[in-house]
Amino acid sequence: LSAKDLDKRISTVHAVVGDDAPLIVNVMMSNSEDLRNAQIEVLLKNRPTAVSFGNGFVTSEIVEKLHKAGILVIQLMGTVNGSNHVAELGVDMVIAERNYGPGHIAKSDGASPETLIKALRQALYEKGIPVIAGGGFVEADDVENAFHWGASAVQLDDPIAYSAESTYGAKGAYATVDETQLVIELTD
């Protein structure tokens, strides 16, 4: 996604939810350093609440830039491998995402969501890094199980955005922002 398109999509979401609404932007790490740098500049300009990174590990330089701007950093993890590395980078949270959801990052057969969440929770607990369950959590039982397995939160983008009760629901506003994810903050 070009920096210009990323900026446009963030603006589209802001137009729907307001400039002050909490926003998490999901960025797939590019192999192009120029594209990565341009995307980071767009993120620094727009200052979302958090940025999640998939398709590779975020770098320490990116974490430092985003943290200086007050932006939280979330790393998608499809395996427990690399958990020590992301902890050393200073990421704020990880999303345990297997091959069960539309945004999956692990295409091969592997650990079940239960196994992955438990393994990441065990690896990151003492470092104080919360694990978010992501990828295919749709039913109430799925959510309950994720918390039972040790998740600190559960990512529920599609079930909420497409529900009849949603402000966007059948209007398809979620689809108009393509890969940009609307995130709803649940509080006590």
Side-chain angles (χ1 to χ4, degrees):
L1 185 65
S2 74
K4 182 179 178 181
D5 286 340
L6 177 61
D7 193 41
K8 182 179 176 182
R9 290 177 183 190
I10 292 172
S11 295
T12 300
V13 173
H14 279 300
V16 173
V17 299
D19 289 337
D20 294 333
L23 177 66
I24 298 175
V25 177
N26 184 29
V27 175
M28 300 311 278
M29 293 293 289
S30 170
N31 291 329
S32 163
E33 187 174 343
D34 290 340
L35 175 57
R36 258 194 329 266
N37 290 337
Q39 289 174 330
I40 296 304
E41 290 306 314
V42 167
L43 295 168
L44 293 171
K45 173 189 143 198
N46 287 284
R47 296 195 187 275
T49 305
V51 178
S52 64
F53 292 92
N55 197 34
F57 291 119
V58 66
T59 66
S60 59
E61 295 82 14
I62 292 172
V63 171
E64 184 177 328
K65 283 182 183 181
L66 295 175
H67 279 169
K68 281 184 180 178
I71 301 169
L72 298 172
V73 178
I74 306 169
Q75 176 69 56
L76 275 72
M77 305 277 300
T79 69
V80 74
N81 298 335
S83 59
N84 286 331
H85 176 68
V86 298
E88 290 169 8
L89 291 174
V91 302
D92 300 289
M93 296 169 246
V94 300
I95 298 175
E97 188 157 324
R98 285 297 310 151
N99 55 343
Y100 289 85
H104 64 273
I105 58 171
K107 297 182 185 306
S108 64
D109 290 336
S112 68
E114 176 182 3
T115 301
L116 180 61
I117 291 166
K118 285 180 175 180
L120 284 170
R121 175 72 173 174
Q122 183 176 8
L124 299 171
Y125 181 78
E126 289 187 16
K127 296 167 178 79
I129 299 175
V131 176
I132 302 166
F137 293 89
V138 178
E139 304 291 332
D141 288 347
D142 299 333
V143 174
E144 184 178 345
N145 286 336
F147 285 121
H148 178 72
W149 300 329
S152 298
V154 179
Q155 178 178 292
L156 295 172
D157 45 4
D158 288 347
I160 292 173
Y162 288 119
S163 72
E165 295 82 7
S166 168
T167 303
Y168 315 107
K171 297 177 193 171
Y174 183 73
T176 66
V177 293
D178 299 316
E179 292 111 19
T180 305
Q181 296 181 5
L182 299 175
V183 176
I184 297 170
E185 184 178 315
L186 301 176
T187 58
D188 293 328

